[in-house]
Amino acid sequence: AQSVAQPEDQVNVAEGNPLTVKCTYSVSGNPYLFWYVQYPNRGLQFLLKYITGDNLVKGSYGFEAEFNKSQTSFHLKKPSALVSDSALYFCAVREQGANNLFFGTGTRLTVIP
Amino acid sequence: NAGVTQTPKFQVLKTGQSMTLQCAQDMNHNSMYWYRQDPGMGLRLIYYSASEGTTDKGEVPNGYNVSRLNKREFSLRLESAAPSQTSVYFCASRATSGGTDTQYFGPGTRLTVL
């Protein structure tokens, strides 16, 4: 069975500080991992993904994520937060060969000016 | 290139009414999906279509039906709406070849069932 956990419902960070949004996953086989962002009253926008290769993945808007197989984690990071990064962030996993994405419950990021 | 489009954007129904949510994509993707988003529960898959002519149940299919009309269009039907179906509905599509393996989402339909 596939599952994703985002242990923090809410993350607050000061503008200019580094941010981390946590995600852990569970799959039987090789994972394909994704981060999406949702702004108010909008659909989900793709940020980045890990399929294979380098464990550090770089994505849109200066975000990056590190795949850690031993800890089954895929935390989202950004060196310097912007107020405009305030949004709802979703981690998702698909097992290699499967058709469906499984989403975490989301983490609301608030960047404080 | 509009990506994934959904209609309507908003809808209010009374219990027992029926309606169809429309979704279309212009990216020539094989797979299409319907999700619902509820507070604190993330996105849950209702139905998906791996390719034209096929549909499969997801995590929460009860009370819904789908039609993959052609490669571009995938509709979701509520035959007899219930208040528990009040939610935001998202359609998505994905290419299953070419290595992109990324789902792209529509803007959503906000449905309220009274």
Side-chain angles (χ1 to χ4, degrees):
Chain A
Q2 303 166 67
S3 66
V4 175
Q6 291 182 244
E8 301 156 318
D9 291 335
Q10 174 83 41
V11 170
N12 297 325
V13 64
E15 186 177 22
N17 282 3
L19 69 87
T20 298
V21 183
K22 295 179 181 177
C23 172
T24 59
Y25 66 90
S26 175
V27 296
S28 302
N30 292 326
Y32 291 0
L33 293 153
F34 301 81
W35 276 101
Y36 286 85
V37 60
Q38 185 180 32
Y39 298 101
N41 301 312
R42 302 288 296 277
L44 275 70
Q45 296 180 29
F46 169 73
L47 273 181
L48 53 79
K49 66 182 176 185
Y50 171 83
I51 303 296
T52 186
D54 288 342
N55 289 344
L56 185 64
V57 179
K58 294 188 184 296
S60 306
Y61 312 121
F63 284 93
E64 59 188 29
E66 186 165 13
F67 170 61
N68 187 317
K69 189 172 183 177
S70 63
Q71 296 185 3
T72 62
S73 67
F74 190 57
H75 301 330
L76 182 70
K77 300 181 180 184
K78 187 173 182 180
S80 179
L82 300 172
V83 172
S84 58
D85 293 330
S86 299
L88 188 56
Y89 290 81
F90 289 98
C91 182
V93 66
R94 178 187 302 121
E95 186 175 319
Q96 185 180 12
N99 211 333
N100 305 337
L101 269 182
F102 285 83
F103 284 85
T105 52
T107 298
R108 186 164 300 281
L109 172 69
T110 300
V111 181
I112 303 163
Chain B
N1 188 333
V4 180
T5 57
Q6 293 182 234
T7 56
K9 286 187 169 53
F10 302 94
Q11 184 71 48
V12 178
L13 294 177
K14 295 180 180 177
T15 297
Q17 288 185 318
S18 62
M19 78 162 295
T20 299
L21 282 66
Q22 307 286 353
C23 173
Q25 52 92 10
D26 61 2
M27 296 175 282
N28 201 35
H29 287 170
N30 292 322
S31 294
M32 297 186 72
Y33 307 81
W34 276 105
Y35 293 90
R36 60 177 289 172
Q37 182 181 23
D38 302 293
M41 301 188 74
L43 276 77
R44 293 181 293 169
L45 183 66
I46 304 171
Y47 271 92
Y48 69 97
S49 170
S51 61
E52 186 178 353
T54 69
T55 60
D56 286 284
K57 294 179 180 178
E59 186 183 353
V60 288
N62 291 346
Y64 304 96
N65 286 300
V66 291
S67 296
R68 184 73 182 268
L69 304 169
N70 47 55
K71 192 170 186 179
R72 289 188 65 248
E73 298 172 291
F74 188 39
S75 62
L76 178 72
R77 183 159 178 84
L78 287 70
E79 290 290 353
S80 179
S84 61
Q85 294 178 304
T86 293
S87 187
V88 182
Y89 292 84
F90 289 101
C91 179
S93 70
R94 176 173 76 99
T96 54
S97 62
T100 61
D101 207 42
T102 300
Q103 281 191 15
Y104 294 92
F105 285 80
T109 295
R110 189 172 295 272
L111 175 66
T112 301
V113 183
L114 302 175

